[in-house]
PDB file of all heavy atoms in Angstrom:
ATOM      1  N   GLU A  26     -13.094   3.519 -16.565  1.00 98.00           N
ATOM      2  CA  GLU A  26     -12.345   4.508 -15.782  1.00 98.00           C
ATOM      3  C   GLU A  26     -10.880   4.105 -15.809  1.00 98.00           C
ATOM      4  O   GLU A  26     -10.554   2.910 -15.892  1.00 98.00           O
ATOM      5  CB  GLU A  26     -12.843   4.563 -14.336  1.00 98.00           C
ATOM      6  CG  GLU A  26     -14.288   4.988 -14.205  1.00 98.00           C
ATOM      7  CD  GLU A  26     -14.806   4.924 -12.771  1.00 98.00           C
ATOM      8  OE1 GLU A  26     -14.043   4.489 -11.877  1.00 98.00           O
ATOM      9  OE2 GLU A  26     -15.973   5.289 -12.555  1.00 98.00           O
ATOM     10  N   TYR A  27      -9.968   5.080 -15.687  1.00 98.00           N
ATOM     11  CA  TYR A  27      -8.545   4.746 -15.801  1.00 98.00           C
ATOM     12  C   TYR A  27      -7.626   5.768 -15.169  1.00 98.00           C
ATOM     13  O   TYR A  27      -6.422   5.763 -15.401  1.00 98.00           O
ATOM     14  CB  TYR A  27      -8.167   4.561 -17.290  1.00 98.00           C
ATOM     15  CG  TYR A  27      -8.953   5.446 -18.235  1.00 98.00           C
ATOM     16  CD1 TYR A  27      -8.558   6.750 -18.529  1.00 98.00           C
ATOM     17  CD2 TYR A  27     -10.130   4.973 -18.816  1.00 98.00           C
ATOM     18  CE1 TYR A  27      -9.293   7.552 -19.381  1.00 98.00           C
ATOM     19  CE2 TYR A  27     -10.880   5.774 -19.667  1.00 98.00           C
ATOM     20  CZ  TYR A  27     -10.456   7.067 -19.947  1.00 98.00           C
ATOM     21  OH  TYR A  27     -11.202   7.861 -20.782  1.00 98.00           O
ATOM     22  N   ASP A  28      -8.166   6.660 -14.335  1.00 98.00           N
ATOM     23  CA  ASP A  28      -7.305   7.617 -13.631  1.00 98.00           C
ATOM     24  C   ASP A  28      -6.798   7.005 -12.334  1.00 98.00           C
ATOM     25  O   ASP A  28      -7.392   6.089 -11.764  1.00 98.00           O
ATOM     26  CB  ASP A  28      -8.051   8.926 -13.352  1.00 98.00           C
ATOM     27  CG  ASP A  28      -9.284   8.728 -12.478  1.00 98.00           C
ATOM     28  OD1 ASP A  28     -10.031   7.744 -12.715  1.00 98.00           O
ATOM     29  OD2 ASP A  28      -9.508   9.543 -11.567  1.00 98.00           O
ATOM     30  N   ALA A  29      -5.661   7.525 -11.873  1.00 98.00           N
ATOM     31  CA  ALA A  29      -5.004   7.007 -10.682  1.00 98.00           C
ATOM     32  C   ALA A  29      -4.966   8.071  -9.586  1.00 98.00           C
ATOM     33  O   ALA A  29      -5.357   9.225  -9.790  1.00 98.00           O
ATOM     34  CB  ALA A  29      -3.587   6.546 -11.023  1.00 98.00           C
ATOM     35  N   LEU A  30      -4.491   7.656  -8.421  1.00 97.00           N
ATOM     36  CA  LEU A  30      -4.374   8.541  -7.261  1.00 97.00           C
ATOM     37  C   LEU A  30      -2.962   9.107  -7.165  1.00 97.00           C
ATOM     38  O   LEU A  30      -1.992   8.413  -7.488  1.00 97.00           O
ATOM     39  CB  LEU A  30      -4.705   7.770  -5.983  1.00 97.00           C
ATOM     40  CG  LEU A  30      -6.136   7.241  -5.877  1.00 97.00           C
ATOM     41  CD1 LEU A  30      -6.216   6.148  -4.816  1.00 97.00           C
ATOM     42  CD2 LEU A  30      -7.091   8.375  -5.549  1.00 97.00           C
ATOM     43  N   PRO A  31      -2.810  10.341  -6.714  1.00 95.00           N
ATOM     44  CA  PRO A  31      -1.466  10.912  -6.541  1.00 95.00           C
ATOM     45  C   PRO A  31      -0.630  10.061  -5.588  1.00 95.00           C
ATOM     46  O   PRO A  31      -1.109   9.639  -4.534  1.00 95.00           O
ATOM     47  CB  PRO A  31      -1.743  12.298  -5.936  1.00 95.00           C
ATOM     48  CG  PRO A  31      -3.153  12.604  -6.295  1.00 95.00           C
ATOM     49  CD  PRO A  31      -3.877  11.287  -6.342  1.00 95.00           C
ATOM     50  N   GLU A  32       0.592   9.775  -5.985  1.00 95.00           N
ATOM     51  CA  GLU A  32       1.587   9.040  -5.188  1.00 95.00           C
ATOM     52  C   GLU A  32       1.247   7.564  -4.997  1.00 95.00           C
ATOM     53  O   GLU A  32       2.117   6.704  -5.054  1.00 95.00           O
ATOM     54  CB  GLU A  32       1.777   9.709  -3.815  1.00 95.00           C
ATOM     55  CG  GLU A  32       2.288  11.139  -3.903  1.00 95.00           C
ATOM     56  CD  GLU A  32       2.524  11.758  -2.540  1.00 95.00           C
ATOM     57  OE1 GLU A  32       2.425  11.041  -1.527  1.00 95.00           O
ATOM     58  OE2 GLU A  32       2.806  12.972  -2.490  1.00 95.00           O
ATOM     59  N   ILE A  33      -0.019   7.236  -4.800  1.00 97.00           N
ATOM     60  CA  ILE A  33      -0.412   5.847  -4.534  1.00 97.00           C
ATOM     61  C   ILE A  33      -0.466   5.018  -5.808  1.00 97.00           C
ATOM     62  O   ILE A  33      -0.120   3.845  -5.822  1.00 97.00           O
ATOM     63  CB  ILE A  33      -1.769   5.811  -3.810  1.00 97.00           C
ATOM     64  CG1 ILE A  33      -1.626   6.415  -2.415  1.00 97.00           C
ATOM     65  CG2 ILE A  33      -2.311   4.387  -3.726  1.00 97.00           C
ATOM     66  CD1 ILE A  33      -2.933   6.563  -1.678  1.00 97.00           C
ATOM     67  N   GLY A  34      -0.902   5.619  -6.896  1.00 97.00           N
ATOM     68  CA  GLY A  34      -1.100   4.871  -8.137  1.00 97.00           C
ATOM     69  C   GLY A  34      -2.540   4.389  -8.239  1.00 97.00           C
ATOM     70  O   GLY A  34      -3.476   5.097  -7.846  1.00 97.00           O
ATOM     71  N   HIS A  35      -2.736   3.161  -8.733  1.00 98.00           N
ATOM     72  CA  HIS A  35      -4.092   2.651  -8.944  1.00 98.00           C
ATOM     73  C   HIS A  35      -4.639   1.996  -7.675  1.00 98.00           C
ATOM     74  O   HIS A  35      -5.031   0.832  -7.659  1.00 98.00           O
ATOM     75  CB  HIS A  35      -4.133   1.710 -10.141  1.00 98.00           C
ATOM     76  CG  HIS A  35      -4.218   2.446 -11.438  1.00 98.00           C
ATOM     77  ND1 HIS A  35      -5.385   2.995 -11.908  1.00 98.00           N
ATOM     78  CD2 HIS A  35      -3.263   2.792 -12.329  1.00 98.00           C
ATOM     79  CE1 HIS A  35      -5.169   3.622 -13.050  1.00 98.00           C
ATOM     80  NE2 HIS A  35      -3.880   3.519 -13.327  1.00 98.00           N
ATOM     81  N   GLY A  36      -4.686   2.822  -6.621  1.00 97.00           N
ATOM     82  CA  GLY A  36      -5.192   2.357  -5.338  1.00 97.00           C
ATOM     83  C   GLY A  36      -6.694   2.249  -5.263  1.00 97.00           C
ATOM     84  O   GLY A  36      -7.246   1.914  -4.213  1.00 97.00           O
ATOM     85  N   CYS A  37      -7.382   2.536  -6.372  1.00 97.00           N
ATOM     86  CA  CYS A  37      -8.831   2.322  -6.429  1.00 97.00           C
ATOM     87  C   CYS A  37      -9.195   1.336  -7.543  1.00 97.00           C
ATOM     88  O   CYS A  37     -10.373   1.101  -7.815  1.00 97.00           O
ATOM     89  CB  CYS A  37      -9.553   3.650  -6.627  1.00 97.00           C
ATOM     90  SG  CYS A  37     -11.237   3.680  -5.973  1.00 97.00           S
ATOM     91  N   GLY A  38      -8.180   0.810  -8.210  1.00 98.00           N
ATOM     92  CA  GLY A  38      -8.413  -0.248  -9.182  1.00 98.00           C
ATOM     93  C   GLY A  38      -9.009   0.182 -10.498  1.00 98.00           C
ATOM     94  O   GLY A  38      -9.619  -0.620 -11.215  1.00 98.00           O
ATOM     95  N   HIS A  39      -8.793   1.454 -10.869  1.00 98.00           N
ATOM     96  CA  HIS A  39      -9.382   1.913 -12.123  1.00 98.00           C
ATOM     97  C   HIS A  39      -8.734   1.276 -13.345  1.00 98.00           C
ATOM     98  O   HIS A  39      -9.341   1.266 -14.416  1.00 98.00           O
ATOM     99  CB  HIS A  39      -9.316   3.432 -12.215  1.00 98.00           C
ATOM    100  CG  HIS A  39     -10.206   4.127 -11.229  1.00 98.00           C
ATOM    101  ND1 HIS A  39     -10.427   5.484 -11.253  1.00 98.00           N
ATOM    102  CD2 HIS A  39     -10.945   3.647 -10.197  1.00 98.00           C
ATOM    103  CE1 HIS A  39     -11.255   5.812 -10.272  1.00 98.00           C
ATOM    104  NE2 HIS A  39     -11.578   4.715  -9.611  1.00 98.00           N
ATOM    105  N   ASN A  40      -7.531   0.760 -13.204  1.00 98.00           N
ATOM    106  CA  ASN A  40      -6.929   0.018 -14.311  1.00 98.00           C
ATOM    107  C   ASN A  40      -7.758  -1.226 -14.636  1.00 98.00           C
ATOM    108  O   ASN A  40      -7.922  -1.600 -15.801  1.00 98.00           O
ATOM    109  CB  ASN A  40      -5.484  -0.375 -13.984  1.00 98.00           C
ATOM    110  CG  ASN A  40      -5.374  -1.284 -12.772  1.00 98.00           C
ATOM    111  OD1 ASN A  40      -6.033  -1.060 -11.749  1.00 98.00           O
ATOM    112  ND2 ASN A  40      -4.542  -2.307 -12.869  1.00 98.00           N
ATOM    113  N   LEU A  41      -8.326  -1.844 -13.593  1.00 98.00           N
ATOM    114  CA  LEU A  41      -9.196  -3.006 -13.807  1.00 98.00           C
ATOM    115  C   LEU A  41     -10.544  -2.582 -14.381  1.00 98.00           C
ATOM    116  O   LEU A  41     -11.102  -3.266 -15.244  1.00 98.00           O
ATOM    117  CB  LEU A  41      -9.412  -3.751 -12.480  1.00 98.00           C
ATOM    118  CG  LEU A  41      -8.176  -4.334 -11.799  1.00 98.00           C
ATOM    119  CD1 LEU A  41      -8.585  -5.065 -10.529  1.00 98.00           C
ATOM    120  CD2 LEU A  41      -7.419  -5.274 -12.728  1.00 98.00           C
ATOM    121  N   ILE A  42     -11.061  -1.450 -13.907  1.00 98.00           N
ATOM    122  CA  ILE A  42     -12.360  -0.966 -14.398  1.00 98.00           C
ATOM    123  C   ILE A  42     -12.287  -0.664 -15.892  1.00 98.00           C
ATOM    124  O   ILE A  42     -13.175  -1.042 -16.661  1.00 98.00           O
ATOM    125  CB  ILE A  42     -12.795   0.284 -13.610  1.00 98.00           C
ATOM    126  CG1 ILE A  42     -12.980  -0.063 -12.124  1.00 98.00           C
ATOM    127  CG2 ILE A  42     -14.086   0.867 -14.193  1.00 98.00           C
ATOM    128  CD1 ILE A  42     -13.233   1.147 -11.238  1.00 98.00           C
ATOM    129  N   GLY A  43     -11.236   0.036 -16.289  1.00 98.00           N
ATOM    130  CA  GLY A  43     -11.075   0.366 -17.704  1.00 98.00           C
ATOM    131  C   GLY A  43     -10.942  -0.860 -18.573  1.00 98.00           C
ATOM    132  O   GLY A  43     -11.594  -0.977 -19.626  1.00 98.00           O
ATOM    133  N   ALA A  44     -10.096  -1.808 -18.134  1.00 98.00           N
ATOM    134  CA  ALA A  44      -9.894  -3.023 -18.916  1.00 98.00           C
ATOM    135  C   ALA A  44     -11.157  -3.874 -18.973  1.00 98.00           C
ATOM    136  O   ALA A  44     -11.458  -4.496 -20.000  1.00 98.00           O
ATOM    137  CB  ALA A  44      -8.736  -3.825 -18.321  1.00 98.00           C
ATOM    138  N   ALA A  45     -11.920  -3.901 -17.879  1.00 98.00           N
ATOM    139  CA  ALA A  45     -13.136  -4.714 -17.844  1.00 98.00           C
ATOM    140  C   ALA A  45     -14.201  -4.171 -18.786  1.00 98.00           C
ATOM    141  O   ALA A  45     -14.854  -4.935 -19.519  1.00 98.00           O
ATOM    142  CB  ALA A  45     -13.677  -4.786 -16.417  1.00 98.00           C
ATOM    143  N   GLY A  46     -14.403  -2.846 -18.783  1.00 98.00           N
ATOM    144  CA  GLY A  46     -15.401  -2.258 -19.668  1.00 98.00           C
ATOM    145  C   GLY A  46     -15.058  -2.468 -21.129  1.00 98.00           C
ATOM    146  O   GLY A  46     -15.908  -2.867 -21.941  1.00 98.00           O
ATOM    147  N   VAL A  47     -13.800  -2.220 -21.467  1.00 98.00           N
ATOM    148  CA  VAL A  47     -13.340  -2.413 -22.840  1.00 98.00           C
ATOM    149  C   VAL A  47     -13.386  -3.899 -23.202  1.00 98.00           C
ATOM    150  O   VAL A  47     -13.838  -4.281 -24.297  1.00 98.00           O
ATOM    151  CB  VAL A  47     -11.920  -1.850 -23.006  1.00 98.00           C
ATOM    152  CG1 VAL A  47     -11.299  -2.309 -24.322  1.00 98.00           C
ATOM    153  CG2 VAL A  47     -11.949  -0.323 -22.938  1.00 98.00           C
ATOM    154  N   GLY A  48     -12.932  -4.736 -22.281  1.00 98.00           N
ATOM    155  CA  GLY A  48     -12.897  -6.168 -22.548  1.00 98.00           C
ATOM    156  C   GLY A  48     -14.273  -6.760 -22.786  1.00 98.00           C
ATOM    157  O   GLY A  48     -14.476  -7.538 -23.732  1.00 98.00           O
ATOM    158  N   ALA A  49     -15.246  -6.389 -21.953  1.00 98.00           N
ATOM    159  CA  ALA A  49     -16.607  -6.914 -22.113  1.00 98.00           C
ATOM    160  C   ALA A  49     -17.195  -6.497 -23.451  1.00 98.00           C
ATOM    161  O   ALA A  49     -17.866  -7.291 -24.131  1.00 98.00           O
ATOM    162  CB  ALA A  49     -17.484  -6.430 -20.964  1.00 98.00           C
ATOM    163  N   ALA A  50     -16.945  -5.256 -23.848  1.00 98.00           N
ATOM    164  CA  ALA A  50     -17.465  -4.769 -25.129  1.00 98.00           C
ATOM    165  C   ALA A  50     -16.863  -5.532 -26.294  1.00 98.00           C
ATOM    166  O   ALA A  50     -17.571  -5.928 -27.240  1.00 98.00           O
ATOM    167  CB  ALA A  50     -17.183  -3.275 -25.269  1.00 98.00           C
ATOM    168  N   VAL A  51     -15.556  -5.761 -26.253  1.00 98.00           N
ATOM    169  CA  VAL A  51     -14.892  -6.484 -27.339  1.00 98.00           C
ATOM    170  C   VAL A  51     -15.382  -7.924 -27.400  1.00 98.00           C
ATOM    171  O   VAL A  51     -15.601  -8.483 -28.487  1.00 98.00           O
ATOM    172  CB  VAL A  51     -13.360  -6.418 -27.178  1.00 98.00           C
ATOM    173  CG1 VAL A  51     -12.669  -7.370 -28.160  1.00 98.00           C
ATOM    174  CG2 VAL A  51     -12.872  -4.993 -27.398  1.00 98.00           C
ATOM    175  N   VAL A  52     -15.580  -8.536 -26.239  1.00 98.00           N
ATOM    176  CA  VAL A  52     -16.096  -9.913 -26.213  1.00 98.00           C
ATOM    177  C   VAL A  52     -17.447  -9.980 -26.927  1.00 98.00           C
ATOM    178  O   VAL A  52     -17.676 -10.842 -27.781  1.00 98.00           O
ATOM    179  CB  VAL A  52     -16.224 -10.414 -24.755  1.00 98.00           C
ATOM    180  CG1 VAL A  52     -17.047 -11.701 -24.709  1.00 98.00           C
ATOM    181  CG2 VAL A  52     -14.845 -10.655 -24.149  1.00 98.00           C
ATOM    182  N   LEU A  53     -18.349  -9.062 -26.608  1.00 98.00           N
ATOM    183  CA  LEU A  53     -19.666  -9.079 -27.256  1.00 98.00           C
ATOM    184  C   LEU A  53     -19.568  -8.822 -28.754  1.00 98.00           C
ATOM    185  O   LEU A  53     -20.353  -9.371 -29.544  1.00 98.00           O
ATOM    186  CB  LEU A  53     -20.581  -8.031 -26.616  1.00 98.00           C
ATOM    187  CG  LEU A  53     -21.220  -8.373 -25.274  1.00 98.00           C
ATOM    188  CD1 LEU A  53     -22.267  -7.332 -24.913  1.00 98.00           C
ATOM    189  CD2 LEU A  53     -21.862  -9.759 -25.302  1.00 98.00           C
ATOM    190  N   SER A  54     -18.612  -8.007 -29.160  1.00 98.00           N
ATOM    191  CA  SER A  54     -18.482  -7.695 -30.591  1.00 98.00           C
ATOM    192  C   SER A  54     -18.115  -8.918 -31.420  1.00 98.00           C
ATOM    193  O   SER A  54     -18.276  -8.914 -32.646  1.00 98.00           O
ATOM    194  CB  SER A  54     -17.432  -6.597 -30.787  1.00 98.00           C
ATOM    195  OG  SER A  54     -16.102  -7.097 -30.626  1.00 98.00           O
ATOM    196  N   LYS A  55     -17.615  -9.959 -30.768  1.00 98.00           N
ATOM    197  CA  LYS A  55     -17.218 -11.175 -31.485  1.00 98.00           C
ATOM    198  C   LYS A  55     -18.383 -12.146 -31.702  1.00 98.00           C
ATOM    199  O   LYS A  55     -18.221 -13.152 -32.402  1.00 98.00           O
ATOM    200  CB  LYS A  55     -16.104 -11.901 -30.720  1.00 98.00           C
ATOM    201  CG  LYS A  55     -14.877 -11.045 -30.439  1.00 98.00           C
ATOM    202  CD  LYS A  55     -14.246 -10.500 -31.703  1.00 98.00           C
ATOM    203  CE  LYS A  55     -13.043  -9.620 -31.410  1.00 98.00           C
ATOM    204  NZ  LYS A  55     -12.497  -9.001 -32.651  1.00 98.00           N
TER     205      LYS A  55
END
């Protein structure tokens, strides 16, 4: 996930969710 909240920004931490999902997948691919 990677959408943000109006005015607040990433007040639900979706920047971390997106990076974690992508990161875990790349780690396994190695």
Side-chain angles (χ1 to χ4, degrees):
E26 298 175 357
Y27 33 86
D28 61 317
L30 296 162
E32 299 182 7
I33 293 174
H35 279 282
C37 207
H39 292 188
N40 62 316
L41 298 182
I42 298 172
V47 167
V51 170
V52 167
L53 282 190
S54 75
K55 304 302 179 185

